[in-house]
Amino acid sequence: MEPAPGPQEKYQLITRNLQEVLGEDKLMAILKERELKIYWGTATTGKPHVAYFVPMSKIADFLKAGCEVTILFADLHAYLDNMKAPWELLELRTRYYEHVIKAMLESIGVPLEKLKFVRGTDYQLSKEYTLDVYRLSSVVTQHDAKKAGAEVVKQVEHPLLSGLLYPGLQALDEEYLKVDAQFGGVDQRKIFTFAEKYLPSLGYAKRVHLMNPMVPGLTGSKMSSSEEDSKIDLLDRKEDVKKKLKKAFCEPGNVENNGVLSFIKHVLFPLKSEFVVLREEKWGGNKTYTAYEALEKDFAEQVVHPGDLKNSVEVALNKLLDPIREKFNCPELKKLSSAAYPTPSKAKPAEKGTKNSEPEDVVPSRLDIRVGKVISVEKHPDADSLYVEKIDVGEAEPRTVVSGLVHFVPKEQLQDRLVVLLCNLKPQKMRGVESQGMVLCASSMGEPRQVEPLDPPAGCCAGERVYVEGYEGGEPDEELKPKKKVFEKLQADFRISEDCVAQWKQRNFLTKLGTVSCKSLKGGSIS
């Protein structure tokens, strides 16, 4: 039986491969007295990918150093961060994260019984925690809250108040989880310094903060759930892993922003303490490296070829992914995965010989639909059936929109009304006036024709995003190309439900406050 590591050995294990430690002296002082209590939190948003092995590898180090480790599934944070996880999917995504993170830890040999797993909503909705949120909001400036979340919270032109709450909640988690330290990526640094500044103002202790470097994705930038080519999903098939690694940025001799090398350094080496480059005998045969620096040096000097490096990572990575794939092959977890992350419809593949060999996804997230407020309504000077409206959609200036609603909606019913506006159609002139959007309306199927503008939920603000359930994560096209007919293809499946809710393929149109609806036109179309 190996002797227990001493404080210095524990310190080395805890801090190896980290980019930065805030509170080194305090960390060493705690290790001389007792075991360190530390937590790592993950917001339950997009699907975890292979870069999540980086924090998992560090968690293995923490356990080897005798730390008491808590893993927080930050479900409330996922909702607060610009609704990256809508309320309807929050429970499903949290369950998915619990299963997949545990499967990852098991695949690298981490004993789950030594870990504590907690959901944010287990304690963040308590009376005491809520009171502390209010106490914190009374001392934190808007400037500091915005600055703290700048690297983590999704940045949009018109940020929601929820994004300003996010850093404060993460700071309070340190107190309510009763830990000495928090671990995260270096992108969390501003939140960590925010916590160090403001927790003492509530009478709570300043914690130690441990930061991993940001590991480059396969394209050379940060590995991201929302950038498909930059990441390998944990459930990707072996042929998909091969395909993505083949396309990965791994320039001969270039060790900067090299996602393949970074994965070896931060995941494969810490787990095995070695890495084997697989090569044919004519190229020198297999070579085992017991120090990452030696591998990096050989790659920089072009002794190791990118193709051999990628093939070797592929073999090692599949060994990690195989038990996860196997676990998620059961019907229950397949169903959970589909429900938590509904698969976008794929465009029909083009037949051989046609131009579109790589069809685009025609999915609702490509539409930039927003809540708008009608500021003014006038009759079109040259068309009796058209209104010219000024509509606020949260931009610096209101948009001019031409709508054919004169015979269906009285002018006074449009004035100051909230509407739903499609904002990324190509602007076009309608009888001499350029229209910069389309007011979406419900229409009756029979005669006489009836038309009602769609209604956002009460309390919405101009500029709020409207999305289709399950498709909240994608970025809309900057401008829909008329020849592609993306809107027309999607519109074919727009309907009003029997409950007067706007839907696409029976999925509700939503804002963060609820469903988009119309007044009375059940079963109608939307145009």
Side-chain angles (χ1 to χ4, degrees):
M1 187 174 176
E2 290 185 18
Q8 190 61 45
E9 291 173 279
K10 289 179 180 179
Y11 181 88
Q12 293 299 330
L13 269 174
I14 289 167
T15 59
R16 73 168 173 175
N17 283 338
L18 294 180
Q19 183 163 323
E20 188 176 2
V21 178
L22 298 177
E24 293 174 277
D25 292 343
K26 185 173 184 177
L27 172 59
M28 181 55 84
I30 292 169
L31 291 174
K32 286 177 179 176
E33 291 183 13
R34 57 175 172 82
E35 306 299 3
L36 184 75
K37 297 176 182 178
I38 187 168
Y39 99 89
W40 172 73
T42 179
T44 54
T45 53
K47 272 189 174 182
H49 44 73
V50 295
Y52 278 63
F53 275 117
V54 178
M56 298 302 105
S57 176
K58 278 310 300 174
I59 286 167
D61 281 347
F62 298 152
L63 290 175
K64 285 176 192 169
C67 299
E68 296 176 23
V69 181
T70 297
I71 292 180
L72 171 67
F73 297 109
D75 46 0
L76 199 55
H77 283 81
Y79 180 67
L80 290 175
D81 187 2
N82 213 50
M83 293 186 304
K84 282 184 181 175
W87 198 259
E88 300 77 22
L89 296 177
L90 206 57
E91 166 67 19
L92 292 167
R93 291 195 176 175
T94 304
R95 280 170 47 206
Y96 179 87
Y97 263 69
E98 287 177 355
H99 283 290
V100 86
I101 295 294
K102 288 177 181 179
M104 291 180 77
L105 289 164
E106 286 173 329
S107 84
I108 62 173
V110 173
L112 298 185
E113 64 273 11
K114 290 190 175 182
L115 295 163
K116 182 180 178 184
F117 296 93
V118 179
R119 289 189 185 195
T121 48
D122 288 345
Y123 63 91
Q124 289 167 345
L125 301 177
S126 69
K127 179 181 176 182
E128 295 77 16
Y129 188 94
T130 303
L131 182 58
D132 270 346
V133 172
Y134 286 129
R135 288 175 65 206
L136 197 60
S137 69
S138 71
V139 294
V140 173
T141 65
Q142 181 185 358
H143 171 270
D144 282 2
K146 187 175 180 181
K147 180 184 174 184
E151 301 294 326
V152 177
V153 178
K154 186 176 180 182
Q155 300 301 296
V156 293
E157 189 178 356
H158 301 283
L160 301 172
L161 177 61
S162 57
L164 298 178
L165 294 174
Y166 190 110
L169 268 66
Q170 188 167 333
L172 287 173
D173 289 341
E174 297 180 347
E175 174 65 24
Y176 279 78
L177 291 171
K178 302 300 177 189
V179 294
D180 306 306
Q182 183 179 173
F183 164 61
V186 74
D187 60 338
Q188 306 266 340
R189 192 183 195 282
K190 290 176 181 175
I191 291 181
F192 290 166
T193 55
F194 172 93
E196 292 187 8
K197 177 180 179 180
Y198 282 108
L199 278 187
S201 69
L202 299 186
Y204 298 142
K206 187 189 294 188
R207 266 64 178 189
V208 176
H209 293 102
L210 310 172
M211 284 165 273
N212 251 348
M214 299 310 294
V215 175
L218 301 180
T219 57
S221 58
K222 175 185 170 183
M223 197 175 288
S224 166
S225 296
S226 60
E227 190 184 334
E228 189 60 33
D229 286 343
S230 81
K231 52 99 179 180
I232 294 172
D233 191 273
L234 295 167
L235 303 181
D236 274 349
R237 300 170 303 167
K238 288 187 177 183
E239 50 266 44
D240 294 324
V241 172
K242 180 185 284 291
K243 184 179 174 183
K244 288 180 179 180
L245 278 171
K246 194 173 182 180
K247 291 165 64 178
F249 175 79
C250 192
E251 188 177 51
N254 188 348
V255 298
E256 299 297 324
N257 292 322
N258 187 323
V260 181
L261 272 177
S262 292
F263 190 77
I264 296 170
K265 179 180 180 179
H266 293 285
V267 177
L268 300 178
F269 250 108
L271 292 177
K272 301 289 185 183
S273 299
E274 66 175 31
F275 182 73
V276 181
V277 175
L278 306 171
R279 295 186 293 203
E280 294 181 32
E281 286 300 326
K282 64 180 178 180
W283 303 119
N286 296 350
K287 183 171 181 180
T288 300
Y289 290 88
T290 54
Y292 171 77
E293 292 72 20
L295 171 63
E296 187 180 276
K297 181 173 180 288
D298 277 1
F299 186 83
E301 294 173 358
Q302 300 191 35
V303 175
V304 175
H305 189 272
D308 294 328
L309 194 72
K310 289 179 180 182
N311 290 339
S312 307
V313 168
E314 180 190 340
V315 171
L317 180 55
N318 277 318
K319 284 181 182 176
L320 295 179
L321 296 181
D322 278 341
I324 302 172
R325 293 182 187 117
E326 187 177 343
K327 182 172 183 177
F328 273 77
N329 203 30
C330 71
E332 181 190 351
L333 291 183
K334 279 184 178 179
K335 185 178 178 182
L336 174 61
S337 181
S338 298
Y341 298 95
T343 307
S345 312
K346 294 283 182 183
K348 212 173 183 180
E351 295 179 18
K352 285 184 180 179
T354 60
K355 287 184 180 179
N356 290 332
S357 56
E358 292 185 14
E360 295 181 298
D361 285 350
V362 181
V363 291
S365 54
R366 294 183 63 181
L367 304 180
D368 182 6
I369 306 176
R370 301 183 222 166
V371 175
K373 183 172 183 180
V374 180
I375 295 172
S376 67
V377 190
E378 300 295 338
K379 291 282 280 292
H380 193 295
D382 298 314
D384 293 340
S385 63
L386 301 178
Y387 285 131
V388 178
E389 301 124 352
K390 293 286 186 184
I391 301 180
D392 177 10
V393 288
E395 297 170 339
E397 297 292 333
R399 292 196 179 204
T400 300
V401 178
V402 180
S403 302
L405 295 174
V406 171
H407 299 313
F408 304 102
V409 184
K411 179 178 170 181
E412 57 270 21
Q413 286 185 18
L414 278 178
Q415 182 66 46
D416 298 323
R417 177 183 184 141
L418 290 181
V419 293
V420 176
L421 195 73
L422 178 60
C423 294
N424 59 341
L425 289 173
K426 184 177 181 180
Q428 60 176 0
K429 287 196 172 182
M430 298 178 70
R431 300 292 291 273
V433 177
E434 184 176 80
S435 183
Q436 300 168 322
M438 177 193 290
V439 177
L440 295 182
C441 299
S443 300
S444 62
M445 304 299 280
E447 294 295 336
R449 187 176 177 226
Q450 294 176 276
V451 176
E452 296 173 357
L454 295 183
D455 293 315
C460 283
C461 298
E464 283 185 29
R465 179 90 185 267
V466 177
Y467 58 92
V468 172
E469 185 177 3
Y471 294 86
E472 73 289 348
E475 287 295 317
D477 291 12
E478 190 172 330
E479 185 179 279
L480 297 171
K481 305 300 180 191
K483 289 184 179 178
K484 301 275 187 180
K485 298 196 178 296
V486 173
F487 174 67
E488 289 82 356
K489 290 172 184 175
L490 292 165
Q491 185 191 16
D493 293 301
F494 285 0
R495 290 286 180 274
I496 301 296
S497 74
E498 289 304 304
D499 299 322
C500 288
V501 173
Q503 295 183 331
W504 175 79
K505 291 190 174 180
Q506 299 182 317
R507 294 178 183 272
N508 294 342
F509 282 46
L510 299 166
T511 73
K512 62 181 173 56
L513 294 180
T515 56
V516 173
S517 60
C518 71
K519 196 173 291 183
S520 64
L521 300 181
K522 299 178 182 179
S525 60
I526 300 173
S527 57

